[in-house]
Amino acid sequence: MNTLPADSLSKRLVDELAERGWTTTDSFLPPALTRALAAECRQRHALGLLAPAGVGRGTAQAVREAVRGDSIQWLEPGQAPATDAYLAALETLRQQLNRSLYLGLEDVESHFALYPPGAFYQKHLDRFRDDDRRALSVVFYLNDDWQAAEGGALRLHPAGQSTADLLPQAGRLVLFRSAELLHEVLPASRERLSLTGWFRRRGAGLF
Ligand code: OGA
Ligand code: MN
């Protein structure tokens, strides 16, 4: 299923990504699909399928609540109609990004993330030291009627520019360069749901 309108990757998004390394758009998916994804995330959480997220990769991975307090579950094809629709939307976006920015993005990985009240993710870069495949980070938010007073912003720290705070509003998509853009998740007074993912390039071939 292709849920992305053909013009979803507007000139503004492409220009902002190229010029400042990040961009955002609202109403990325139809509200019914966004609601279905939120319900799916809550249901998986209730079933105990979300696990505390680690920091780092492979054997270096450790659960450190001082760094990040979210719980996650990776998306796999065939799990649910809503997650399949989301993966299809990301695949369409991948092809559009490749056509307009020549990024050579090969695939995409994504997980549900649930931050309980008070949880945060300290300032970090998304690219692992031992894996340079992550090129573009993509975050899609699932929270209805988010208020600024509830906290929980994604705070971007672009080099040489002022910081930008983006609230995790349902339907909002954020794209940024994984290797360059420092960012953090501020603590919130309510549960915060999202889908976080990465468009990846071919590995450099370390071996
Ligand atoms: C991450 C991350 C941002 C957000 O999971 O690496 O930075 O707004 N998430 O959830
Ligand atoms: Mn991150």
Side-chain angles (χ1 to χ4, degrees):
M1 175 164 56
N2 184 348
T3 53
L4 265 194
D7 63 350
S8 69
L9 192 64
S10 67
K11 185 172 181 320
R12 174 183 67 82
L13 267 68
V14 170
D15 288 351
E16 286 178 353
L17 259 184
E19 284 158 23
R20 66 179 189 192
W22 67 274
T23 188
T24 182
T25 187
D26 289 341
S27 308
F28 173 67
L29 294 179
L33 177 53
T34 303
R35 279 195 298 274
L37 288 165
E40 186 70 31
C41 183
R42 279 200 197 88
Q43 189 189 8
R44 292 183 190 201
H45 181 53
L47 292 171
L49 296 174
L50 272 56
V55 178
R57 209 179 148 75
T59 50
Q61 183 157 357
V63 175
R64 278 189 277 156
E65 281 172 35
V67 179
R68 66 184 291 190
D70 57 328
S71 289
I72 70 166
Q73 191 196 31
W74 289 96
L75 301 194
E76 305 284 351
Q79 285 174 335
T83 49
D84 280 353
Y86 183 67
L87 288 173
L90 289 185
E91 174 57 21
T92 303
L93 187 56
R94 184 185 72 82
Q95 292 172 18
Q96 293 174 336
L97 287 163
N98 280 344
R99 275 199 296 272
S100 41
L101 285 164
Y102 309 104
L103 287 173
L105 305 172
E106 275 228 309
D107 64 6
V108 64
E109 56 178 3
S110 184
H111 61 62
F112 279 117
L114 184 146
Y115 289 72
F120 56 85
Y121 194 160
Q122 282 178 1
K123 199 161 148 185
H124 65 281
L125 286 176
D126 279 349
R127 189 174 281 192
F128 298 121
R129 255 166 301 193
D130 59 347
D131 184 345
D132 63 1
R133 284 177 301 166
R134 289 180 171 181
L136 270 189
S137 303
V138 54
V139 192
F140 183 63
Y141 297 109
L142 306 174
N143 313 287
D144 281 326
D145 301 318
W146 195 278
Q147 305 297 318
E150 292 170 320
L154 168 65
R155 178 165 290 171
L156 304 175
H157 299 267
Q161 300 167 48
S162 46
T163 61
D165 281 4
L166 301 168
L167 295 180
Q169 209 64 259
R172 178 167 291 166
L173 187 88
V174 184
L175 285 167
F176 58 90
R177 290 190 184 270
S178 307
E180 286 138 41
L181 191 59
L182 276 165
H183 58 284
E184 63 185 311
V185 177
L186 303 181
S189 59
R190 64 183 258 204
E191 198 169 75
R192 179 189 193 273
L193 310 180
S194 65
L195 281 155
T196 299
W198 295 273
F199 291 105
R200 301 187 300 187
R201 292 202 184 97
R202 194 188 295 276
L206 296 173
F207 303 106

